[in-house]
Amino acid sequence: MDHSIDGVWQRVLGTQPDPPRWLVLGCAAAALLAIVPHPLWRLSRNVVTIAHEGGHGLIALLTGRRLAGIRLHSDTSGLTVSSGRPTGLGMILTAAAGYTAPSLLGLGGAALLAAGHITALLWISIALLAAMLIMIRNAFGLLSVVVTGAAFFAISWYGGPQLQAGFAYLGVWFLLLAGVRPVVELQGKRRQGGAHDSDADQLGRLTGVSPLLWVTLFLVVALACLLVGGSRLLG
């Protein structure tokens, strides 16, 4: 494989052949296996937290808020701190971005894979993780993002076409499938009287709309992304 700058650039801009169907289905099964059993989910959920907090951070910047920092914790929780107007559209969009980010990223990734841009997907992921790394403010968060980014880089630089395809499809299937479970868990905590400062409850206070409706919106987005994204991957 050509590892020169020109060679890498040509692969990023070019397209790669579709992987065999067994690999696509196998990646879907492996992603599901990483989500359903609780012991594996406690580990794999850290990837969802990276996407969740990254979503908050990205939308905060795009809406003109000042991003102070991001923290990722070993219990798979996270915190993104931004400053600006405490109310208004920017704050609402920033609060709504967390639970929708993994599914929307998965949908975008599915569109890239359906178009044959496997290498581009890997390098876009590296770029997003590198940008997020600048804003990390704790050791565990730093470790999480560096390890995840290193995995993407190693596969994209040293992996063959089929390994790259498998890694990319696994990652996208994981985001699409994993985007659903945190929303269900959130409502479970709320039903038991917890999570009073969740994104949905913050949105309820910001908008006057019931937090339950915000949770429902999160779930609709996650399921719609899974349906559309999954169809693109299988098609």
Side-chain angles (χ1 to χ4, degrees), residues 1 35 54 61 96 144 162-163 185 197 214 218 224 229-230:
M1 185 178 294
I35 295 165
L61 291 173
S144 297
Q162 192 151 298
L163 180 59
E185 291 177 340
D197 202 33
W214 283 106
F218 296 159

Side-chain angles (χ1 to χ4, degrees), residues 10-168:
Q10 288 174 10
R11 295 202 310 276
V12 171
L13 294 180
T15 58
Q16 292 75 44
D18 292 336
R21 191 168 183 81
W22 65 262
L23 188 145
V24 177
L25 294 173
C27 288
L32 191 60
L33 183 62
I35 295 165
V36 176
H38 187 69
L40 286 177
W41 175 238
R42 278 191 57 82
L43 179 63
S44 64
R45 199 183 193 282
N46 286 291
V47 177
V48 179
T49 304
I50 291 174
H52 180 116
E53 300 303 331
H56 283 313
L58 177 61
I59 299 303
L61 291 173
L62 291 178
T63 55
R65 297 180 63 79
R66 293 180 296 277
L67 185 59
I70 298 173
R71 292 177 176 270
L72 307 173
H73 304 131
S74 58
D75 63 355
T76 72
S77 65
L79 177 66
T80 298
V81 178
S82 65
S83 58
R85 288 185 58 193
T87 59
L89 183 60
M91 187 63 199
I92 292 170
L93 292 175
T94 298
Y99 278 98
T100 56
S103 297
L104 291 173
L105 286 171
L107 181 61
L112 283 172
L113 293 181
H117 294 294
I118 295 172
T119 304
L121 171 68
L122 296 175
W123 282 92
I124 289 171
S125 301
I126 293 170
L128 290 174
L129 288 165
M132 186 176 179
L133 188 64
I134 299 171
M135 300 308 302
I136 296 295
R137 295 292 181 266
N138 68 322
F140 182 82
L142 188 69
L143 178 64
S144 297
V145 176
V146 167
V147 168
T148 305
F152 273 92
F153 177 78
I155 295 296
S156 64
W157 192 258
Y158 299 108
Q162 192 151 298
L163 180 59
Q164 288 190 10
F167 188 78

